[in-house]
Amino acid sequence: MKIIDRPLYTERIKPYIGKSIIKVLTGQRRVGKSYILKKIAEDIKAVDPTANIIEINLEDFSFAHVTTADALFREINDRSVSDAKSFVFLDEIQEVEDFDKVLRSLALSPDYDIYVTGSNSKMLSAEMASRLAGRSIEFHIHPLSYSEFLAFHRLEDSDEAVMTFLRYGGLPYLINLSDKETWAEYIENVTDAIVYRDVVARHSLRSADFLSRLMLFLADNIGQLFTAKRIADYIKSQRISANVTTVQSYVSYIEEAFIVNRARRWDIEGKRFFEIGEKFFFEDTGIRNSIVGFRPHDLGAVLENAVYNHLIINRYNVKIGNIGNKEIDFVAEKNGEFKYVQVALTILDADTAEREFGNLEQISDNYEKILVTLNDTFPNTRNGIKTMNLREFLLT
């Protein structure tokens, strides 16, 4: 099986090959973490054909006996060789109880180079970082970017291609399916599997109906500011018992499974976060559409979601901006530099253009300001503000 390289991630991981730091690949299920591990193992073998590669996929029934830290340690120890470095690849590590004890022990020895993947951010991010005390580095693997989508599907950039991307998202396995009907069915099944395994089963949730209503609300309101109270009120209106605390817990579970990302509000002038109000964006627009449908009146929201995803894939820290009573869709920061991005379906209407440009013109600093639309193109800037259509933006 030929593995398609994703240099966006493999090039970031390569400098750490052979180093005594645990490489942790996190991300939603089915975004290709396992294949990135296989590509790294392939690259190691290409340099050193005698390298001892230990691959353990905890979702594979062959490793059904590996459920505890002791069992995992024995499995790795049995596959190790004396007086040589072993390259250890552990897939879906969250399936093993107390896995961090094994990783801590292995990290003490120069004989192991360790790579792990997982689909739960709480177990594999802040919590792991504290347990491993600086011995790990995290790489968040996202669904395919638009440029990766074109490369995987061997497509030319076009209006049709970008609409396909918005509708079906970037799950890599879609390249193995022949038609769009099977794409939709596959995405639906992936959505169900993620929700059940990484939310319902992991947290032993009793109210699947509550969760499904919450997921529907989030999918139907991407790009909208809201609070836990607003969500609770909506669910109550559906005649389902709800309170703010339960909503906050369930939303955190959905975040932990990398289904959605939370963007907080930021006061651009005051340089501080607002205490209330935030937006949620889906990690994959195809999964969002599998929940609520891909509807013409949602296109502006899906466009905003795609812009947000492109920014985080490119490792920007993204916030929702506020300046006075104006909203800036995205304040993107990386390495101390800022980028302000406004998103509109079209600005051919004069009032819309005035509002969208006007919001950006309220910002007094000289960082880059961009207005992204679906298809509009203009050769000139307005007061230094660039206009880009979605295709142009997603390929930058």
Side-chain angles (χ1 to χ4, degrees):
M1 177 186 61
K2 187 178 186 305
I3 298 171
I4 302 175
D5 190 16
R6 296 181 68 184
L8 187 64
Y9 304 105
T10 54
E11 291 303 313
R12 287 176 54 206
I13 297 169
K14 279 180 182 178
Y16 296 95
I17 293 176
K19 304 296 191 294
S20 57
I21 187 167
I22 301 166
K23 279 67 73 176
V24 181
L25 281 62
T26 61
Q28 189 183 89
R29 287 187 189 272
R30 304 295 175 257
V31 296
K33 301 186 297 296
S34 303
Y35 284 91
I36 291 173
L37 281 194
K38 288 180 184 297
K39 185 66 175 73
I40 294 296
E42 199 176 78
D43 291 344
I44 291 169
K45 273 287 191 184
V47 173
D48 179 10
T50 66
N52 184 41
I53 305 291
I54 301 173
E55 295 179 285
I56 300 174
N57 182 349
L58 279 311
E59 288 193 316
D60 187 333
F61 190 71
S62 302
F63 299 103
H65 60 287
V66 182
T67 58
T68 65
D70 286 343
L72 179 61
F73 187 79
R74 284 196 303 272
E75 188 73 29
I76 294 170
N77 193 54
D78 290 346
R79 292 165 177 258
S80 302
V81 294
S82 59
D83 302 322
K85 185 183 286 288
S86 292
F87 297 85
V88 183
F89 294 83
L90 304 173
D91 212 355
E92 299 298 352
I93 191 69
Q94 76 277 350
E95 303 297 334
V96 176
E97 187 180 348
D98 295 329
F99 63 86
D100 57 292
K101 294 179 181 178
V102 179
L103 298 183
R104 279 206 305 270
S105 178
L106 295 177
L108 295 173
S109 170
D111 294 334
Y112 294 101
D113 186 20
I114 309 161
Y115 304 78
V116 302
T117 78
S119 304
N120 183 275
S121 66
K122 185 177 180 182
M123 296 181 69
L124 285 157
S125 191
E127 191 172 307
M128 175 180 270
S130 65
R131 291 181 183 181
L132 297 178
R135 294 192 183 95
S136 67
I137 182 167
E138 181 183 350
F139 303 92
H140 186 166
I141 310 302
H142 298 276
L144 301 179
S145 67
Y146 179 56
S147 58
E148 288 181 313
F149 179 84
L150 294 177
F152 267 57
H153 292 276
R154 299 180 182 179
L155 297 173
E156 294 293 327
D157 172 39
S158 66
D159 289 344
E160 182 182 1
V162 81
M163 288 302 293
T164 302
F165 176 69
L166 291 179
R167 180 170 187 171
Y168 294 104
L171 296 181
Y173 191 79
L174 294 179
I175 64 169
N176 298 301
L177 303 175
S178 57
D179 59 71
K180 302 298 190 299
E181 279 189 22
T182 57
W183 284 22
E185 188 175 34
Y186 171 76
I187 296 167
E188 225 173 278
N189 278 275
V190 169
T191 304
D192 290 344
I194 294 170
V195 170
Y196 178 74
R197 294 185 64 176
D198 294 324
V199 182
V200 176
R202 183 164 303 284
H203 298 283
S204 302
L205 301 186
R206 296 178 180 177
S207 181
D209 195 22
F210 182 99
L211 179 63
S212 66
R213 299 285 178 155
L214 175 57
M215 292 280 289
L216 185 62
F217 181 90
L218 293 175
D220 209 21
N221 288 275
I222 52 174
Q224 298 295 315
L225 284 172
F226 54 82
T227 63
K229 183 180 184 306
R230 182 184 163 199
I231 301 174
D233 289 343
Y234 161 79
I235 293 175
K236 285 177 186 174
S237 74
Q238 306 295 301
R239 301 189 178 184
I240 298 172
S241 177
N243 58 59
V244 169
T245 302
T246 305
V247 167
Q248 289 172 332
S249 296
Y250 275 56
V251 169
S252 71
Y253 302 152
I254 295 168
E255 280 187 275
E256 287 168 17
F258 299 103
I259 299 170
V260 298
N261 294 299
R262 184 193 307 252
R264 297 177 63 192
R265 295 170 67 214
W266 173 256
D267 182 352
I268 294 172
E269 293 179 319
K271 308 296 182 188
R272 62 180 179 83
F273 284 107
F274 289 92
E275 292 185 6
I276 60 171
E278 53 208 357
K279 293 186 179 184
F280 288 91
F281 296 95
F282 275 73
E283 179 82 349
D284 183 77
T285 55
I287 284 181
R288 179 265 173 193
N289 296 333
S290 76
I291 295 168
V292 77
F294 186 58
R295 305 167 300 193
H297 65 270
D298 288 341
L299 191 53
V302 176
L303 171 66
E304 191 174 337
N305 202 140
V307 169
Y308 173 85
N309 287 350
H310 184 68
L311 290 168
I312 62 170
I313 285 171
N314 284 281
R315 301 166 66 193
Y316 282 95
N317 179 11
V318 184
K319 303 179 278 283
I320 309 304
N322 274 84
I323 183 161
N325 63 349
K326 308 289 187 183
E327 182 179 290
I328 306 301
D329 289 325
F330 301 120
V331 178
E333 183 269 330
K334 182 165 63 174
N335 300 326
E337 296 286 315
F338 288 85
K339 179 184 291 187
Y340 302 102
V341 183
Q342 200 75 345
V343 184
L345 195 57
T346 179
I347 51 169
L348 295 181
D349 173 74
D351 289 340
T352 303
E354 193 59 39
R355 181 183 68 248
E356 303 298 347
F357 278 113
N359 286 8
L360 289 169
E361 287 168 345
Q362 294 291 309
I363 305 170
S364 59
D365 66 42
N366 294 315
Y367 288 113
E368 186 177 22
K369 301 174 182 70
I370 304 171
L371 176 52
V372 180
T373 66
L374 183 59
N375 291 313
D376 303 342
T377 56
F378 301 94
N380 302 318
T381 67
R382 170 170 152 171
N383 293 329
I385 299 168
K386 297 178 185 176
T387 56
M388 301 177 77
N389 65 41
L390 181 63
R391 287 166 51 196
E392 292 173 317
F393 183 78
L394 295 182
L395 292 173
T396 58

